[in-house]
Amino acid sequence: MNITPQPTQSFDVVPPQTEVVIVGGGIIGACTALELAKRGIPVVLCEKGSVGEEQSSRNWGWVRKMGRDVREMPMMIHAMKLWDELPGVIGADPGFRRRGITYYCDEEQHMAKYEAWLKAMEPYDLDTHFVGRERANELAPGNTRNFAGGLHTPSDGYAEPHLATRMIIEGARKLGAVIVEGCAVRGFETAGGRVSEAVTEKGRIKCNSVVLAGGIWSSLFARNQNAKIPQLKMLSQTMRTRPIEGGPEGCGSGNGFGYRKRNDGGYNVGMRSAHAVDIVPDSFRYFRDYLPAMKNEWRAMKFRVGKRTWEETMMLGGWQLDERTPFEKYRIMRPVPGHKILDQATINIKKLFPQFRDMVVNERMSAWIDVTPDAIPAISAIDATPGFFISTGFSGHGFGIAPSAGQLMAELVTGETPHVDPTPFRHSRFIDGSEIVHWPIGF
């Protein structure tokens, strides 16, 4: 893990007051700030390090409907529309392209695992469909496996993670949002039971609402405010190559590989369903919450005890608002990639596509994913504390859905009619005895 120093470009003090304070400058916080600024709502976004420098810039970049939990689908369909409109809103191109996504199958019987998902998606009239052997191999030119078929969604695509968050942040700034980097929010105070001011390392900000969009840090922040957010971390890793001629377009994955062609002609490659999971104190704190997920996803989880186990065991679990916090110690979390997994991914992709045999890798990168027990996010008010909202736990698929998630959070904060039913994403499902359903979609 590398700890990045505080950014040099920042404010020495924070504004004394605003309407909404957003905690976290990843793509979820950025899209929330943009939506609030579009509505003319005064908003201050505080990021402990630099915006977009954790998971938001270190992910695969897929923007997909295919494989989504059915509860997310209405929001994801709307997100696709917002991605199309985004350049006109922010005045910049975040690299969104509809180039298609394909899940490849080595044998025809393997395609049956997608049938239940397709059946559940019938009300949404998606363009997702099965492709046979000939079309699957056209989508993967030169491959050595001779795929039996696959599932394909032509209208899915990707955007460029290293560009998108900063561009959205700049768009929000142009519309009036205040962005403060190098500024950890330590917590908030209440008056009459509701949020009254955010307390940052650079001063206090009077406000009516606090939106927690802290990614992997959200559970720790909320616990210090006496709110439970069951959330654990999984390690995602990928590699960025230099341009490669003749490779497949768009995005795809299958047994032992995954890829996404970037707009610069290079690829992000790796193994899409292989995640390291460090055993940490939260693993025991939320053990019961995660039993359904473990039953469905244990094959994709690589449990381990290591450096992160020790760091989180020793991490401060609670603090006063005038004390230095873990957010100020760990400005930017850049975990060491799982080299064993990426080494195998390199072998697999070179064997599968002859075009990749001389590939040059510019960077191996990894990031911690914030995962909830049911693998869908919490986008919600915290009922016990009026004015406290959360948008977190996107479980590895927050990048694509972020524009719609930002709009939903803005609607909840302002009291507007939500553009989708927010019920599946309510925080209360974790504490009111609701059955936590981890939908076994088979992807």
Side-chain angles (χ1 to χ4, degrees):
M1 180 189 70
N2 296 321
I3 301 173
T4 301
Q6 177 174 324
T8 56
Q9 292 186 348
S10 186
F11 290 88
D12 292 328
V13 295
V14 293
Q17 64 183 37
T18 190
E19 182 67 26
V20 182
V21 171
I22 297 174
V23 183
I27 195 166
I28 300 300
C31 288
T32 303
L34 179 67
E35 288 292 335
L36 288 168
K38 283 166 58 178
R39 290 160 170 75
I41 306 297
V43 56
V44 176
L45 182 149
C46 295
E47 163 56 44
K48 61 183 174 55
S50 299
V51 295
E53 284 297 318
E54 292 188 328
Q55 184 189 355
S56 293
S57 63
R58 305 173 73 78
N59 63 77
W60 287 73
W62 290 25
V63 178
R64 62 178 174 87
K65 301 179 294 298
M66 190 162 68
R68 287 273 172 185
D69 190 301
V70 66
R71 293 166 289 187
E72 288 184 338
M73 190 55 67
M75 191 159 58
M76 189 60 226
I77 291 172
H78 187 67
M80 300 295 287
K81 174 177 178 288
L82 295 180
W83 276 108
D84 283 330
E85 297 171 353
L86 198 55
V89 175
I90 64 176
D93 178 12
F96 177 59
R97 304 290 186 272
R98 294 178 182 260
R99 297 289 189 264
I101 294 178
T102 309
Y103 293 160
Y104 297 97
C105 295
D106 293 326
E107 299 181 24
E108 287 187 12
Q109 57 264 37
H110 294 167
M111 290 161 59
K113 67 180 181 178
Y114 301 133
E115 290 177 354
W117 183 85
L118 272 175
K119 182 69 175 176
M121 296 303 139
E122 285 180 356
Y124 300 107
D125 195 27
L126 304 182
D127 61 340
T128 304
H129 59 277
F130 284 117
V131 293
R133 186 179 299 275
E134 181 178 358
R135 178 57 178 152
N137 290 291
E138 287 177 356
L139 292 166
N143 83 85
T144 59
R145 284 195 193 172
N146 189 22
F147 292 113
L151 195 66
H152 181 62
T153 306
S155 63
D156 279 354
Y158 60 81
E160 297 296 344
H162 68 291
L163 298 176
T165 301
R166 282 206 167 269
M167 287 180 171
I168 294 168
I169 284 284
E170 287 305 310
R173 195 197 307 268
K174 291 175 185 177
L175 292 172
V178 176
I179 312 299
V180 188
E181 297 183 274
C183 181
V185 179
R186 294 172 172 174
F188 58 81
E189 302 275 20
T190 61
R194 68 164 297 120
V195 169
S196 60
E197 62 180 359
V199 181
T200 82
E201 63 177 298
K202 295 186 176 182
R204 292 172 175 253
I205 309 173
K206 292 182 179 179
C207 60
N208 290 319
S209 301
V210 166
V211 174
L212 175 58
I216 63 168
W217 301 99
S218 296
S219 184
L220 180 63
F221 181 100
R223 192 160 69 246
N224 201 57
Q225 298 287 163
N226 298 312
K228 175 187 175 182
I229 303 177
Q231 185 173 283
L232 296 178
K233 307 174 188 70
M234 292 199 308
L235 190 67
S236 173
Q237 52 264 313
T238 185
M239 298 175 284
R240 296 177 61 251
T241 79
R242 293 185 183 178
I244 295 172
E245 294 291 334
E249 297 294 323
C251 314
S253 68
N255 183 22
F257 74 94
Y259 66 81
R260 192 262 296 184
K261 186 174 183 180
R262 300 193 310 273
N263 291 333
D264 65 0
Y267 285 80
N268 282 22
V269 297
M271 292 170 63
R272 191 170 62 91
S273 297
H275 302 291
V277 181
D278 284 321
I279 297 175
V280 297
D282 279 352
S283 304
F284 302 97
R285 181 178 286 114
Y286 301 131
F287 178 76
R288 290 184 180 275
D289 297 286
Y290 280 83
L291 282 176
M294 290 181 64
K295 291 177 182 177
N296 286 316
E297 299 293 341
W298 65 270
R299 289 183 181 86
M301 299 178 184
K302 314 298 181 184
F303 293 99
R304 65 185 188 181
V305 175
K307 182 179 179 181
R308 191 68 196 151
T309 304
W310 172 252
E311 288 173 343
E312 293 206 20
T313 299
M314 300 304 295
M315 189 178 290
L316 186 66
W319 56 88
Q320 300 299 314
L321 299 187
D322 60 354
E323 295 177 339
R324 193 168 184 263
T325 68
F327 315 125
E328 291 148 84
K329 181 178 180 181
Y330 301 103
R331 293 288 181 183
I332 298 176
M333 194 73 77
R334 289 198 179 103
V336 175
H339 291 297
K340 184 176 180 180
I341 291 175
L342 292 182
D343 287 346
Q344 187 61 54
T346 300
I347 293 170
N348 293 351
I349 201 77
K350 288 183 176 182
K351 184 177 180 181
L352 176 62
F353 291 110
Q355 307 95 308
F356 284 70
R357 286 177 183 165
D358 296 321
M359 74 180 191
V360 177
V361 174
N362 280 347
E363 181 183 17
R364 288 185 167 195
M365 57 188 181
S366 62
W368 292 110
I369 297 170
D370 46 319
V371 181
T372 60
D374 51 11
I376 63 171
I379 308 170
S380 171
I382 300 291
D383 296 334
T385 308
F388 183 27
F389 299 84
I390 61 172
S391 189
T392 190
F394 284 82
S395 305
H397 35 90
F399 180 77
I401 209 169
S404 190
Q407 180 177 331
L408 177 58
M409 179 48 63
E411 291 161 348
L412 295 176
V413 169
T414 59
E416 297 175 39
T417 300
H419 69 282
V420 295
D421 180 7
T423 303
F425 314 112
R426 69 194 187 284
H427 166 261
S428 61
R429 72 187 192 269
F430 299 129
I431 59 174
D432 64 5
S434 296
E435 181 183 6
I436 299 300
V437 178
H438 188 277
W439 198 40
I441 56 178
F443 289 94

